[in-house]
Amino acid sequence: MRHRRNRRGRRGRSPGRRRWRPRHWRPGASCRAAWRAAKALGYRRLITYTQDGESGASLRGAGWHVIASRPPRAGWHTPSRPRAGHGNDHVPRLLWEAL
């Protein structure tokens, strides 16, 4: 009988198995850790943005709240600072705050 580990599927994973995650992994853990670190440094507010179409589930799970909706930017290019677009221009955003 062949061992299951020898029957590799795509990307070297065994068929039917989930991707390995550390035992202590929880959704939103890195968001919570970022807020704890910022508070320890004396910050009173921590914000981040998500693009329209992203769920923000990990932020919501870590206790963050949407505080504003931002309109799409025309881009970062200005005559005094020429910039190339990276595909994230003209996308509405949500502003999140850690509580």
Side-chain angles (χ1 to χ4, degrees):
M1 183 167 116
R2 300 176 79 184
H3 292 287
R4 185 177 188 115
R5 68 174 178 230
N6 291 334
R7 293 183 292 160
R8 298 289 177 178
R10 290 182 54 211
R11 298 184 188 154
R13 292 189 296 221
S14 297
R17 298 201 59 189
R18 299 178 78 182
R19 182 173 35 166
W20 179 84
R21 290 189 176 125
R23 178 185 265 173
H24 62 277
W25 181 87
R26 295 179 317 279
S30 61
C31 300
R32 283 189 289 269
W35 179 225
R36 279 195 308 266
K39 281 198 299 191
L41 291 171
Y43 287 85
R44 290 177 284 159
R45 187 174 186 215
L46 187 63
I47 64 168
T48 190
Y49 290 92
T50 56
Q51 292 183 354
D52 188 37
E54 296 176 337
S55 70
S58 62
L59 293 170
R60 205 172 10 267
W64 292 56
H65 296 281
V66 175
I67 58 172
S69 177
R70 300 288 187 221
R73 289 183 61 97
W76 291 97
H77 178 77
T78 62
S80 63
R81 291 182 321 196
R83 303 279 195 265
H86 294 287
N88 55 1
D89 301 336
H90 310 289
V91 177
R93 300 159 290 146
L94 293 176
L95 176 62
W96 296 77
E97 182 180 34
L99 297 176

